[in-house]
Amino acid sequence: MSEEGASPNKESVVKKSAYSQKKTVAEGLLDVGLLVANSSQLKALLDRGSSHSYYYALLVLLILSIIVQVVVGFLLLFLGTTEGDLEKDRRSNLMNNVVVALIFGIVVLNIVIGVFGVSM
């Protein structure tokens, strides 16, 4: 097989890898923004005290959301360092699917947090 025949295939893998890394970085940046927002909400809730009608529910939800966001952040750091084709690397593919599921969970948690509301 000539080098020319292998080049487009190799280029395709490089493009997939670059896309995957950019997607991981973008997810990480979104996670940082949400982490800052949840931290601000937690501070506002703690400043207000237990006078808020949903104090304990919001406290648990905010802390849970922050913990899951930190876990997702570490998983994204690990995924960002892995190289190669995700379809061939089962462990990275599984971890990527877990990250997507956890991000979905974070979104649901934050929708519930938004419904209960923390006025700042």
Side-chain angles (χ1 to χ4, degrees), residues 18-81:
Y19 167 75
S20 179
Q21 288 177 345
K22 288 177 184 178
K23 184 185 84 162
T24 302
V25 169
E27 287 174 346
L29 291 175
L30 289 173
D31 194 42
V32 168
L34 194 55
L35 184 62
V36 169
N38 282 156
S39 298
S40 296
Q41 289 175 321
L42 182 61
K43 182 183 179 298
L45 182 68
L46 292 174
D47 285 344
R48 186 159 184 197
S50 59
S51 64
H52 193 282
S53 54
Y54 300 111
Y55 178 78
Y56 292 106
L58 281 170
L59 186 65
V60 168
L61 290 172
L62 284 167
I63 290 173
L64 183 63
S65 179
I66 290 170
I67 290 171
V68 174
Q69 288 175 53
V70 170
V71 168
V72 165
F74 282 119
L75 290 174
L76 288 173
L77 278 174
F78 178 77
L79 276 174
T81 61

